[in-house]
Amino acid sequence: MSAVSALGPLNGRRKATDKIMRGVLAVGTVIALIPLVLVIYYLLSKGLGAWSLDFFTKDPTGNFLGDQGGVKSALLGTIEMVALASLIAIPVGWGVALYLVEYGRTGRFAATVRYFVDVMTGVPSIVFGLFIYVTLVLSGWGGSSFAGWKGSVALALLMLPVVTRSAEVVLLLVPDPLREAALALGTPRWRVTLKIVLPTALPGLVTGSLLAVARAAGETAPLLFTATIVNGTTFNLSDRMNSLPVQIYTDVGSPNDQLVQRAWGAALALVTLILLTTLIARLVSRRSRL
Amino acid sequence: MATATPDVSTGGRSILERSPSARRADPIFRGTLMTLAALILALIAFFFVYLINKAQPALSHQGVFSFLFTNDWNPSKAIYGAWPLVVGTLVTAAIALVIGVPIAVATALFITELAPRRVRSPLVILVELLAAVPSVVYGLWGIFVLIPKLKPAEQWFADTFSFLPFIGGNVAGPNYFVAGLILAIMILPIVSAISREVISTVPSDLKEASLALGATRWEMIRMAVLPYSRSGITGAAMLGLGRAIGETIAVTLVIGNSPTIGKQIFDQGYTLAAVIANEFGEAANDKVHAGALFAAGLVLFVLTLLINALARGLVRRAEKSARPPTKVKAVPGGVA
């Protein structure tokens, strides 16, 4: 009834409102993109200046004066810790998603798991860092307090719900007739899951997981408590380990222009790394048939 | 798929011959997957209990109620009143919502209802790129670009509108407003993405019907799209709220880290997450101080858990309520 009164003859006022509101929505979209443009502009204009061959091949120095060194240890640390985190989070995440889709479409237990995985995506990354700090770091587990692998565990916790949720969505897209056909041929359930469902969904699974990897690569807070920072390059995950985000965070806080310069260079490197991962994810998903 | 197809036939044939042994693997497989799922529940429960346990020294030292509502955070005197941190967390999150949610919803509406088809997916990718920028980079940008550039404008605003509540005084470089602004940028992609999802579940019958009645595009959005997706958009905003409350590093860099309650939005403040990031190093050897930080983490955990649970419920309901109409339509619509 209200619609009838609201939709009077198409007079000038209704037309004008329409035009204005369309304009407002368009302007809102433009406003949303302004920070993106600004951040990228400043990253390029301030970060490119810091880039050089030395920047990527030298470790940072602790000097407050003089040569600031590069970000080699931070770059390698980030890659190494994120790689280990992925090795933990992706199999577990896919496994949980497989359970939810293949065995737990109904049932209270699966619903509870699904619910908590959902809720877990909203837990702040610093809380995951705190978890690992109280359980693994303070207790000196594995003979060391801070260690790269503990950073990986914190990152894995943070990736786990993201991987699981995205995998669940993709697995649900696998058509049921495919499963039914295989089952009808007498194939056991586990083979159907591993040989039919998983390969069919693979591109989508990889995409979702890569997006989680990209997110983990940029996380600072959990690594602050778990891997901390060192200057020298180390490949040993049982030692303290440097990472790009933590390196940037420490450099920002220092009252030295050279270190701030290094922070911009490192930030550009980090964003480039993340965008490359995201780009690969998109390319993989384009090949998906689902 | 191509690789899977031959596998079915060969596997299927051999399976029929030795099915008992192959079938015995089924419960094992199922059990393994179920254990992984149970692991997640166990982890959450374990962490929760562990955090409470570790926060205990501070909570018994200060009292739970007094921890939350005392307006004094002073580790050197062993006083842990987290109220300024709670206020800082809520104020910055509120600023983020006020700025971020309208823009995010406008973006979602523009992309789903107004933008020409060609520019839709580029726009979606651009908005999602905002989420690809890590927190620490927003912090870096905030501290060296946003704060100095914004300060004159903030000062002018504070002077001109000083008759309004919470506005006026001397603008500190880092402040609640800058932190809220950066949070708004950070929550924008998620709020926009979920709003888009919810909006896309609005049945096209509803939209077409309103257009057929002679509604303009905006009237269609206002009278068909928005009412239908209201609860879902509310859920999206709450997910943004949860994210804004837990965001740490960017806020730590731009809020000033002053454990007093600012009177104006251009004053310096502190948040629960930022205090954990800043003080955990010095707190390691002090059971009560460390406990206070764990208690802060516990508050964050519980707060985000509650908000997310509520938000997920709203979003789920919005998406579920969209399903029955499409199903009903699918049956008689089989002709088309």
Side-chain angles (χ1 to χ4, degrees):
Chain A
M1 283 128 270
S2 70
V4 174
S5 61
L7 295 178
L10 189 61
N11 54 25
R13 223 189 86 209
R14 282 182 56 208
K15 263 191 195 160
T17 317
D18 183 50
K19 223 173 214 160
I20 291 168
M21 287 318 293
R22 283 186 193 215
V24 167
L25 296 183
V27 168
T29 310
V30 172
I31 291 175
L33 297 178
I34 290 175
L36 182 69
V37 174
L38 286 178
V39 168
I40 290 177
Y41 168 76
Y42 280 101
L43 270 180
L44 286 175
S45 72
K46 298 204 174 197
L48 272 182
W51 277 20
S52 65
L53 193 62
D54 278 359
F55 186 75
F56 292 105
T57 53
K58 284 191 172 163
D59 286 332
T61 59
N63 290 345
F64 278 96
L65 300 163
D67 186 26
Q68 80 272 29
V71 295
K72 183 180 159 209
S73 68
L75 191 61
L76 290 176
T78 289
I79 294 174
E80 207 174 325
M81 282 192 285
V82 171
L84 179 62
S86 312
L87 282 182
I88 305 169
I90 294 176
V92 177
W94 287 9
V96 175
L98 276 177
Y99 173 76
L100 291 178
V101 174
E102 303 302 321
Y103 295 103
R105 295 219 182 163
T106 54
R108 182 163 289 187
F109 174 68
T112 316
V113 172
R114 191 174 286 122
Y115 179 77
F116 274 99
V117 168
D118 252 8
V119 167
M120 212 176 154
T121 53
V123 173
S125 64
I126 193 169
V127 173
F128 286 125
L130 215 52
F131 285 152
I132 299 306
Y133 182 67
V134 291
T135 50
L136 297 182
V137 176
L138 283 184
S139 63
W141 237 67
S144 62
S145 54
F146 298 105
W149 70 270
K150 294 175 184 176
S152 296
V153 175
L155 292 182
L157 276 178
L158 173 125
M159 291 170 68
L160 188 60
V162 185
V163 173
T164 308
R165 283 293 294 150
S166 65
E168 195 193 346
V169 171
V170 174
L171 288 172
L172 274 173
L173 289 178
V174 176
D176 275 337
L178 215 58
R179 296 184 177 91
E180 286 154 10
L183 287 172
L185 287 171
T187 321
R189 197 69 199 245
W190 64 273
R191 289 209 70 174
V192 176
T193 307
L194 289 182
K195 300 271 170 164
I196 314 270
V197 177
L198 213 52
T200 312
L202 199 61
L205 291 175
V206 171
T207 304
S209 305
L210 278 177
L211 292 178
V213 169
R215 188 180 155 204
E219 281 295 340
T220 317
L223 295 181
L224 220 50
F225 307 129
T226 48
T228 67
I229 188 165
V230 284
N231 288 323
T233 304
T234 167
F235 290 100
N236 189 349
L237 281 160
S238 326
D239 286 338
R240 291 173 176 229
M241 204 169 237
N242 208 359
S243 61
L244 280 173
V246 176
Q247 175 85 60
I248 297 166
Y249 181 67
T250 9
D251 285 351
V252 168
S254 74
N256 178 333
D257 287 348
Q258 293 241 305
L259 295 189
V260 170
Q261 174 79 10
R262 182 171 75 196
W264 280 105
L268 182 60
L270 180 60
V271 171
T272 310
L273 194 69
I274 291 173
L275 287 185
L276 279 180
T277 316
T278 316
L279 190 73
I280 295 171
R282 291 218 175 274
L283 289 180
V284 173
S285 79
R286 191 159 293 177
R287 290 188 45 216
S288 163
R289 294 230 218 113
L290 287 174
Chain B
M1 259 184 82
T3 52
T5 317
D7 227 354
V8 181
S9 52
T10 55
R13 201 179 338 117
S14 61
I15 287 307
L16 289 178
E17 287 153 17
R18 47 179 184 84
S19 63
S21 66
R23 226 163 266 285
R24 219 164 293 147
D26 254 354
I28 300 173
F29 183 66
R30 190 198 158 119
T32 313
L33 293 183
M34 206 165 159
T35 314
L36 287 179
L39 196 74
I40 288 192
L41 296 185
L43 268 178
I44 293 179
F46 170 69
F47 284 139
F48 191 62
V49 172
Y50 214 92
L51 256 191
I52 292 179
N53 179 31
K54 286 284 177 180
Q56 194 57 43
L59 292 178
S60 54
H61 166 83
Q62 185 87 26
V64 175
F65 194 78
S66 137
F67 174 81
L68 276 178
F69 296 110
T70 303
N71 183 9
D72 189 9
W73 181 271
N74 196 339
S76 60
K77 288 188 188 156
I79 301 171
Y80 301 103
W83 187 236
L85 316 173
V86 174
V87 169
T89 305
L90 295 179
V91 167
T92 48
I95 295 172
L97 285 190
V98 168
I99 301 173
V101 170
I103 297 178
V105 175
T107 310
L109 285 171
F110 183 77
I111 290 175
T112 47
E113 305 297 337
L114 297 179
R117 203 163 284 279
R118 260 181 317 120
V119 304
R120 272 183 205 175
S121 65
L123 274 179
V124 168
I125 291 176
L126 280 177
V127 174
E128 271 168 13
L129 275 185
L130 279 173
V133 179
S135 174
V136 69
V137 174
Y138 279 122
L140 173 76
W141 176 72
I143 204 167
F144 291 113
V145 179
L146 199 58
I147 287 178
K149 300 248 166 180
L150 217 54
K151 201 172 167 184
E154 287 173 312
Q155 189 61 63
W156 172 84
F157 188 85
D159 294 341
T160 316
F161 295 97
S162 55
F163 55 88
L164 294 170
F166 308 118
I167 288 170
N170 252 335
V171 172
N175 59 46
Y176 288 126
F177 177 74
V178 174
L181 189 61
I182 287 193
L183 284 177
I185 298 170
M186 298 181 74
I187 65 168
L188 211 149
I190 186 170
V191 178
S192 164
I194 295 177
S195 301
R196 230 172 37 232
E197 241 164 68
V198 171
I199 290 169
S200 69
T201 63
V202 177
S204 45
D205 306 15
L206 220 56
K207 298 194 284 185
E208 282 155 17
S210 66
L211 287 178
L213 283 173
T216 61
R217 280 266 152 177
W218 165 247
E219 283 163 348
M220 173 201 86
I221 290 173
R222 187 167 62 85
M223 296 192 287
V225 176
L226 283 180
Y228 196 89
S229 47
R230 183 172 295 133
S231 73
I233 290 176
T234 313
M238 288 180 61
L239 285 178
L241 175 68
R243 189 141 305 184
I245 281 177
E247 180 46 53
T248 312
I249 294 300
V251 176
T252 309
L253 287 171
V254 300
I255 197 164
N257 300 329
S258 130
T260 46
I261 297 179
K263 299 270 183 299
Q264 269 103 29
I265 64 164
F266 299 125
D267 283 342
Q268 305 197 1
Y270 219 157
T271 66
L272 287 164
V275 88
I276 303 172
N278 275 329
E279 292 184 4
F280 86 98
E282 55 193 88
N285 298 319
D286 180 344
K287 257 202 152 74
V288 178
H289 190 182
L293 298 185
F294 298 140
L298 194 64
V299 174
L300 267 186
F301 188 39
V302 172
L303 216 56
T304 48
L305 226 59
L306 286 178
I307 292 173
N308 274 283
L310 214 62
R312 290 287 168 190
L314 282 174
V315 173
R316 278 258 153 103
R317 213 178 60 191
E319 282 172 354
K320 218 169 251 164
S321 73
R323 229 161 279 151
T326 43
K327 254 189 191 153
V328 170
K329 201 181 67 184
V331 180
V335 192

